[in-house]
Short mmCIF file of all heavy atoms in Angstrom, two decimals:
data_model
loop_
_atom_site.label_atom_id
_atom_site.label_comp_id
_atom_site.label_asym_id
_atom_site.label_seq_id
_atom_site.Cartn_x
_atom_site.Cartn_y
_atom_site.Cartn_z
N VAL A 138 0.84 0.51 -31.84
CA VAL A 138 -0.48 0.55 -31.18
C VAL A 138 -1.38 -0.45 -31.94
O VAL A 138 -2.10 -1.18 -31.31
CB VAL A 138 -1.05 1.98 -31.13
CG1 VAL A 138 -2.53 2.02 -30.74
CG2 VAL A 138 -0.22 2.82 -30.20
N ASN A 139 -1.46 -0.31 -33.26
CA ASN A 139 -2.31 -1.20 -34.09
C ASN A 139 -1.96 -2.66 -33.83
O ASN A 139 -2.88 -3.53 -33.59
CB ASN A 139 -2.12 -0.83 -35.56
CG ASN A 139 -3.10 -1.59 -36.42
OD1 ASN A 139 -4.32 -1.54 -36.16
ND2 ASN A 139 -2.58 -2.26 -37.42
N ALA A 140 -0.69 -3.01 -33.76
CA ALA A 140 -0.36 -4.48 -33.60
C ALA A 140 -0.78 -4.95 -32.21
O ALA A 140 -1.32 -6.03 -32.09
CB ALA A 140 1.14 -4.62 -33.81
N VAL A 141 -0.46 -4.11 -31.22
CA VAL A 141 -0.81 -4.55 -29.82
C VAL A 141 -2.33 -4.65 -29.61
O VAL A 141 -2.86 -5.65 -29.09
CB VAL A 141 -0.21 -3.58 -28.72
CG1 VAL A 141 -0.74 -3.86 -27.37
CG2 VAL A 141 1.30 -3.62 -28.85
N LEU A 142 -3.08 -3.64 -30.14
CA LEU A 142 -4.51 -3.68 -29.98
C LEU A 142 -5.15 -4.76 -30.85
O LEU A 142 -6.20 -5.37 -30.39
CB LEU A 142 -5.13 -2.34 -30.34
CG LEU A 142 -4.74 -1.16 -29.39
CD1 LEU A 142 -5.44 0.08 -29.77
CD2 LEU A 142 -5.03 -1.58 -27.93
N ASP A 143 -4.63 -5.11 -31.96
CA ASP A 143 -5.15 -6.19 -32.74
C ASP A 143 -4.98 -7.54 -32.02
O ASP A 143 -5.92 -8.27 -31.97
CB ASP A 143 -4.48 -6.31 -34.09
CG ASP A 143 -5.01 -7.34 -34.98
OD1 ASP A 143 -6.25 -7.17 -35.43
OD2 ASP A 143 -4.37 -8.29 -35.34
N ARG A 144 -3.83 -7.73 -31.39
CA ARG A 144 -3.66 -8.98 -30.64
C ARG A 144 -4.59 -8.99 -29.44
O ARG A 144 -5.18 -10.06 -29.14
CB ARG A 144 -2.23 -9.04 -30.12
CG ARG A 144 -1.26 -9.64 -31.16
CD ARG A 144 0.18 -9.82 -30.64
NE ARG A 144 1.06 -9.19 -31.53
CZ ARG A 144 1.88 -8.16 -31.20
NH1 ARG A 144 2.01 -7.72 -30.02
NH2 ARG A 144 2.72 -7.72 -32.17
N LEU A 145 -4.64 -7.90 -28.76
CA LEU A 145 -5.54 -7.87 -27.61
C LEU A 145 -7.00 -8.06 -27.98
O LEU A 145 -7.70 -8.85 -27.39
CB LEU A 145 -5.36 -6.50 -26.90
CG LEU A 145 -6.20 -6.28 -25.63
CD1 LEU A 145 -5.89 -7.34 -24.56
CD2 LEU A 145 -5.95 -4.84 -25.14
N ALA A 146 -7.42 -7.43 -29.06
CA ALA A 146 -8.81 -7.56 -29.54
C ALA A 146 -9.11 -8.92 -29.93
O ALA A 146 -10.28 -9.45 -29.71
CB ALA A 146 -9.12 -6.54 -30.64
N ARG A 147 -8.26 -9.62 -30.61
CA ARG A 147 -8.51 -11.01 -31.04
C ARG A 147 -8.60 -11.95 -29.83
O ARG A 147 -9.16 -13.04 -29.98
CB ARG A 147 -7.40 -11.46 -31.99
CG ARG A 147 -7.55 -10.75 -33.37
CD ARG A 147 -6.48 -11.14 -34.36
NE ARG A 147 -6.68 -10.39 -35.57
CZ ARG A 147 -7.54 -10.62 -36.51
NH1 ARG A 147 -8.35 -11.64 -36.37
NH2 ARG A 147 -7.74 -9.81 -37.59
N ARG A 148 -8.04 -11.56 -28.67
CA ARG A 148 -8.30 -12.47 -27.49
C ARG A 148 -9.56 -12.06 -26.76
O ARG A 148 -10.38 -12.86 -26.43
CB ARG A 148 -7.03 -12.26 -26.54
CG ARG A 148 -5.84 -13.06 -27.02
CD ARG A 148 -4.83 -13.22 -25.90
NE ARG A 148 -4.93 -12.38 -24.81
CZ ARG A 148 -4.24 -11.28 -24.66
NH1 ARG A 148 -3.41 -10.75 -25.59
NH2 ARG A 148 -4.32 -10.47 -23.53
N LYS A 149 -9.72 -10.71 -26.56
CA LYS A 149 -10.86 -10.25 -25.71
C LYS A 149 -12.13 -10.20 -26.47
O LYS A 149 -13.21 -10.29 -25.90
CB LYS A 149 -10.52 -8.85 -25.19
CG LYS A 149 -9.29 -8.77 -24.30
CD LYS A 149 -9.48 -9.65 -23.07
CE LYS A 149 -8.35 -9.55 -22.15
NZ LYS A 149 -8.46 -10.30 -20.89
N ARG A 150 -12.11 -10.05 -27.83
CA ARG A 150 -13.31 -10.00 -28.61
C ARG A 150 -13.18 -10.93 -29.87
O ARG A 150 -13.50 -10.64 -30.92
CB ARG A 150 -13.39 -8.53 -29.29
CG ARG A 150 -13.42 -7.40 -28.24
CD ARG A 150 -14.85 -7.15 -27.81
NE ARG A 150 -15.00 -5.93 -27.13
CZ ARG A 150 -15.35 -4.72 -27.62
NH1 ARG A 150 -15.71 -4.68 -28.93
NH2 ARG A 150 -15.46 -3.70 -26.88
N ALA A 151 -12.76 -12.11 -29.49
CA ALA A 151 -12.49 -13.17 -30.49
C ALA A 151 -13.64 -13.42 -31.42
O ALA A 151 -13.46 -13.51 -32.65
CB ALA A 151 -12.11 -14.44 -29.75
N GLU A 152 -14.87 -13.40 -30.89
CA GLU A 152 -16.03 -13.64 -31.65
C GLU A 152 -16.29 -12.59 -32.81
O GLU A 152 -16.63 -12.92 -33.87
CB GLU A 152 -17.31 -13.62 -30.79
CG GLU A 152 -17.29 -14.69 -29.67
CD GLU A 152 -16.59 -14.23 -28.39
OE1 GLU A 152 -16.17 -13.05 -28.29
OE2 GLU A 152 -16.52 -15.01 -27.43
N GLU A 153 -15.90 -11.42 -32.47
CA GLU A 153 -15.97 -10.28 -33.49
C GLU A 153 -15.08 -10.48 -34.70
O GLU A 153 -15.25 -10.01 -35.75
CB GLU A 153 -15.74 -8.93 -32.91
CG GLU A 153 -16.85 -8.39 -31.98
CD GLU A 153 -16.45 -7.05 -31.51
OE1 GLU A 153 -15.97 -6.18 -32.29
OE2 GLU A 153 -16.65 -6.72 -30.28
N PHE A 154 -14.00 -11.21 -34.45
CA PHE A 154 -13.02 -11.47 -35.46
C PHE A 154 -13.03 -12.92 -35.99
O PHE A 154 -12.11 -13.31 -36.70
CB PHE A 154 -11.58 -11.18 -34.90
CG PHE A 154 -11.40 -9.69 -34.48
CD1 PHE A 154 -11.70 -9.30 -33.24
CD2 PHE A 154 -10.93 -8.79 -35.43
CE1 PHE A 154 -11.57 -7.93 -32.95
CE2 PHE A 154 -10.75 -7.51 -35.15
CZ PHE A 154 -11.06 -7.07 -33.85
N GLY A 155 -14.20 -13.60 -35.72
CA GLY A 155 -14.42 -14.88 -36.21
C GLY A 155 -13.47 -15.96 -35.59
O GLY A 155 -13.22 -17.05 -36.21
N GLU A 156 -13.10 -15.75 -34.33
CA GLU A 156 -12.22 -16.63 -33.68
C GLU A 156 -12.88 -17.11 -32.40
O GLU A 156 -13.87 -16.53 -32.00
CB GLU A 156 -10.88 -15.98 -33.42
CG GLU A 156 -10.15 -15.57 -34.60
CD GLU A 156 -8.83 -14.78 -34.47
OE1 GLU A 156 -8.36 -14.81 -33.29
OE2 GLU A 156 -8.37 -14.22 -35.36
N VAL A 157 -12.30 -18.08 -31.76
CA VAL A 157 -12.82 -18.63 -30.49
C VAL A 157 -12.07 -17.96 -29.35
O VAL A 157 -10.84 -17.98 -29.31
CB VAL A 157 -12.67 -20.14 -30.39
CG1 VAL A 157 -13.20 -20.68 -29.09
CG2 VAL A 157 -13.42 -20.79 -31.63
N ARG A 158 -12.84 -17.37 -28.38
CA ARG A 158 -12.18 -16.81 -27.25
C ARG A 158 -11.53 -17.82 -26.31
O ARG A 158 -12.23 -18.83 -25.99
CB ARG A 158 -13.23 -15.97 -26.43
CG ARG A 158 -12.68 -15.34 -25.19
CD ARG A 158 -13.70 -14.77 -24.28
NE ARG A 158 -14.03 -13.39 -24.73
CZ ARG A 158 -14.74 -12.61 -24.11
NH1 ARG A 158 -15.30 -13.04 -22.91
NH2 ARG A 158 -15.00 -11.48 -24.54
#
Side-chain angles (χ1 to χ4, degrees):
V138 168
N139 187 53
V141 172
L142 295 182
D143 184 66
R144 277 187 229 117
L145 181 59
R147 288 180 183 280
R148 284 197 340 268
K149 300 296 183 182
R150 302 274 191 98
E152 300 88 1
E153 286 183 44
F154 295 89
E156 298 175 15
V157 178
R158 178 189 275 190

